[in-house]
Amino acid sequence: MSYAIPRGTQDILPGQSEKWQRIEALIHDLCRRYNYKEIRTPMFEQTELFARGVGDTTDIVQKEMYTFKDRGDRSLTLRPEGTASVVRSFVENKMHGLPDQPVKLYYTGPMFRYERPQSGRMRQFVQFGVEALGSADPQIDGEVLALAMDFYKEIGLQNVKLVINSLGDKDSRTAHKEALISHFKPRINEFCSDCQSRLEKNPLRILDCKKDRDHELMGTAPSILDYLNDASKEYFEHVQKALESMGIAYVIDPTLVRGLDYYNNTAFEIMLEGDGFGAITTLAGGGRYNGLVEEIGGPETPGIGFALSIERVLMALEAQQVELQTVNQLDVYLVSLGDEPKDKTPEIIHSLRAQGISCDTDYMDKKMKAQMKAANRQQAKYVFILGEDELDQQSVMVKEMATGEQTLVPLATIMSDAASIVTT
Ligand code: HAM
């Protein structure tokens, strides 16, 4: 019997994992600067949370959830996204009562969607997302968008385009919905069964249909921007003003519809322009979701957020041949020769590690030459050589690999003040 990794998942091996750590470090630092605090929620939730939160006419809920019964016969679902869970936690922990509003949160972690796997589309992928709950100030929309754009800028990605739209408030959406129904209804039998069933309930979803994307009625569908009432229009203008004041370029695309139901007013996606990235060019998506907190059982609370997947960031970096700065070097490799020196190695490497120095040694009973080769492969900055002679002198031969320079250093110095010898 041989085992294979499940479709749509991946192992992240050494060589790749350093890149993940680098990206994660940037995420934590960026969120610290923007004053967003980390939240960690469970990997699974009650199925009903996503049905209500994400919306039961969405592809995610209809086709993509990993849903199972536990031994207590409860229906649970592996989270397909983070927003519903964060909102559930916000309500459950009564964060609306906290003195500092809005509550600004971020998360990273695996999400699960039963999708047809292809490059950039996985069944398990890691999202970085932020959610700002409690403020309806268009400037916070600007802040969330700026954070997302800064992430790509700081990671070194080029040709990143911010696309925004307004889906309007409830009243604007109701008017637009009616217009969409009248537009599609007479010829709805020319559309796929999903579109047909979504017509009355959620016609906006039709605009997001992949199968019928080229139908002539798609291009002539009524634009939401023509149905925005004054309040929604003004809100959208203020968001744009905030972006402009930060020097963040954007384009407006009135056909931008998100794949989740909870959005209103601001909706946005971040796309990668240019060749070499395959069919999927969306790097991130998000928007405002006033009403979701109430839907999940909390008090009326506005919210906005976005999420991106780290897999797509890595793909984009690769397509643009951007090398992430990763630390892969070992400070010290300790080579020992003979039984007594070997007996001494645990004490020395333990002390070095306690002094903040990365180090390793041989556990394969290798000869001196093979140990030196191992040190080279690990790109050790220094090799410490401990043979019978050195031990007799209570010293270690320190070789700086870049220069080839060798110095005999007292063991006492190495054990108490290695930093005076090793520059990390
Ligand atoms: P979403 O558009 O479904 O939104 O996903 C956001 C991002 O997650 C996508 O732009 C993409 O980078 C990544 N993503 C989605 N599915 C996959 C997949 N199968 N494989 C790889 N990457 C994927 C949300 O999830 C919302 N919760 C975003 C949000 C937060 N809105 C408000 N707050």
Side-chain angles (χ1 to χ4, degrees), residues 173-226:
R173 287 169 66 104
T174 307
H176 183 229
K177 184 177 168 183
E178 277 161 20
L180 283 173
I181 295 176
S182 342
H183 178 75
F184 286 113
K185 202 168 187 174
R187 292 173 64 185
I188 194 66
N189 54 359
E190 295 167 27
F191 285 77
C192 73
S193 57
D194 279 346
C195 286
Q196 294 187 18
S197 69
R198 287 163 180 174
L199 177 71
E200 300 288 342
K201 222 174 157 190
N202 194 353
L204 203 63
R205 281 268 75 78
I206 298 177
L207 299 179
D208 202 28
C209 177
K210 288 170 195 104
K211 282 189 207 137
D212 294 318
R213 143 173 78 199
D214 298 325
H215 193 286
E216 59 169 307
L217 285 190
M218 289 295 209
T220 54
S223 163
I224 177 68
L225 295 184
D226 296 330

Side-chain angles (χ1 to χ4, degrees), residues 95-107:
M95 291 189 225
H96 45 266
L98 291 174
D100 285 322
Q101 300 287 328
V103 176
K104 306 205 298 183
L105 303 167
Y106 78 99
Y107 50 89

